[in-house]
Amino acid sequence: MMALDLHDYTRPRLAALLTEWGESPAHANRLWGALYRDLATELPPHSNLPRRLHARLAAEATMTNLVPLRESVSSDRLARKFLLGLADGQAIETVLMHYRGRWTACLSSQAGCPLGCVFCATGQAGFARNLTVGEIVGQALFAQRVLRDLGTGERLRNVVLMGMGEPLLNYDSVLRAVEILRDPAGFSIGAKQITLSTVGVVSGIRRLAAEWQPISLAVSLHGATQAERLALVPAAATWPLDQLMAACRDYTSQLGRRIFFEWTLIAGVSDSPAQARAVAELLAGIPAHVNLIPLNPTTGYAGDASRDTAAAEFQAILRERGLPSTLRARRGIDVSAGCGQLAVV
């Protein structure tokens, strides 16, 4: 029998499991505290749990402990990238970023990615498999332990599901991991502090809306016409731009919540004034905020980041048309920890 992973369980599911075993569900809170407050890497001692329960957990359960294979720290020390080994020999990358007053973890949802965005190192490398709930949560636990060991007293405050993989192609595991991250007896990360980024999986966006998932949504746009988007995002063939925008409009209408749209600024490809005007027209009437991301270099794509003047003009055009935007600060580029740079090499 395959051992059950305690990090795959939300707190209610853990209580249900112990009840099924004939144990008091109250023990679930003790076990949960060990997992997510004490950041335990092994079962708590007998004194915390009944001997019979401890023995059964030792025999039938395991815990996700990701193995650090490599750490890379940016020159400004604002980004730390970790190559983490999984139990089956696969590996993923996770990034811990420092901003004023907060730490943010960028988590992966898949080992590799099947969608092949041309400027993304993960997509260039191909796809291995979906991550389990425990492997997703385990990255946040690893980041929390890193912060504990830094000794500053700071904790993880924000999570972005923007690492390796497409979160909405691993929907159930990702959203169960989100439930664990939000649990007030553990990480207690607010829904607004968790952002899920998708390349535009229409069925997943519609499911997020139907289930009233309270986390923030970011959509990788990168092209304001189907042809331009398809040239950069092959998945646009499966989820065409018109279908994606219809899903986004329905999402904002149903939930009354804005969407963050991500736009990679590539010199001579996606940074012209005409394209800025096309973005503003495409997003007209949608509660939206555009994150402008200068292209980060990867070995598999020959494009260059837009010049500062082109980026500033692009943003100014969006502003003139009443569309709020942010020109994203580049974090960890020197250690390939930026957007689109994560890959197991």
Side-chain angles (χ1 to χ4, degrees):
M1 182 177 64
M2 184 177 295
L4 60 90
D5 185 345
L6 295 177
H7 289 117
D8 282 343
Y9 284 71
T10 62
R11 190 154 51 107
R13 286 169 60 89
L14 189 59
L17 174 68
L18 298 194
T19 300
E20 181 183 323
W21 285 1
E23 302 286 351
S24 169
H27 297 317
N29 289 332
R30 296 191 183 93
L31 186 54
W32 190 266
L35 294 174
Y36 296 109
R37 287 197 299 272
D38 301 339
L39 307 179
T41 56
E42 58 186 20
L43 286 175
H46 290 303
S47 59
N48 286 359
L49 296 171
R51 186 175 297 272
R52 180 181 66 177
L53 174 57
H54 191 281
R56 185 164 185 181
L57 287 169
E60 299 183 24
T62 187
M63 297 163 61
T64 296
N65 284 307
L66 304 178
V67 180
L69 303 176
R70 185 172 64 237
E71 178 181 0
S72 304
V73 182
S74 64
S75 57
D76 60 11
R77 306 194 70 79
L78 296 178
R80 295 170 177 262
K81 184 176 73 167
F82 303 94
L83 179 65
L84 302 176
L86 309 180
D88 64 351
Q90 295 291 335
I92 54 174
E93 288 196 318
T94 301
V95 181
L96 188 57
M97 298 168 288
H98 189 252
Y99 298 88
R100 181 176 296 179
R102 74 183 192 278
W103 284 92
T104 295
C106 179
L107 308 184
S108 295
S109 56
Q110 296 178 313
C113 182
L115 297 183
C117 297
V118 300
F119 50 79
C120 176
T122 310
Q124 294 159 11
F127 175 70
R129 65 171 175 85
N130 284 332
L131 299 186
T132 66
V133 177
E135 289 167 340
I136 299 168
V137 172
Q139 296 170 72
L141 285 167
F142 184 89
Q144 195 83 291
R145 293 186 189 111
V146 169
L147 294 179
R148 177 195 62 190
D149 295 344
L150 288 176
T152 64
E154 296 177 283
R155 293 178 58 83
L156 190 61
R157 296 300 180 193
N158 295 71
V159 165
V160 293
L161 290 150
M162 296 182 180
M164 299 174 70
E166 166 53 62
L168 292 184
L169 293 182
N170 190 16
Y171 187 100
D172 291 330
S173 292
V174 166
L175 270 296
R176 191 176 298 171
V178 165
E179 184 178 346
I180 293 171
L181 294 172
R182 293 182 59 212
D183 192 295
F187 285 100
S188 192
I189 299 176
K192 291 183 179 179
Q193 278 65 58
I194 300 175
T195 301
L196 181 153
S197 176
T198 177
V199 77
V201 179
V202 169
S203 58
I205 294 172
R206 291 196 177 281
R207 186 173 172 188
L208 287 172
E211 295 178 359
W212 288 81
Q213 294 290 349
I215 59 177
S216 297
L217 176 64
V219 173
S220 295
L221 191 56
H222 310 310
T225 68
Q226 173 65 5
E228 289 181 351
R229 190 165 190 269
L230 186 59
L232 297 173
V233 181
T238 303
W239 301 290
L241 184 59
D242 58 346
Q243 295 181 21
L244 171 59
M245 297 314 300
C248 289
R249 291 181 186 279
D250 290 345
Y251 176 96
T252 58
S253 176
Q254 182 169 336
L255 299 185
R257 197 179 303 148
R258 69 176 174 177
I259 294 176
F260 296 93
F261 288 92
E262 296 162 328
W263 185 276
T264 299
L265 289 168
I266 307 171
V269 175
S270 59
D271 63 349
S272 71
Q275 286 166 314
R277 290 188 287 270
V279 171
E281 183 176 347
L282 181 69
L283 300 183
I286 298 178
H289 187 105
V290 180
N291 284 323
L292 300 170
I293 308 168
L295 177 73
N296 293 320
T298 64
T299 57
Y301 184 67
D304 294 316
S306 301
R307 294 178 178 272
D308 291 347
T309 52
E313 183 178 8
F314 197 101
Q315 186 175 27
I317 291 170
L318 298 185
R319 186 184 306 115
E320 289 169 1
R321 283 156 175 76
L323 186 57
S325 65
T326 299
L327 184 59
R328 287 268 288 273
R330 305 175 94 186
R331 281 276 195 280
I333 307 307
D334 56 333
V335 292
S336 296
C339 292
Q341 292 187 306
L342 302 190
V344 178
V345 293

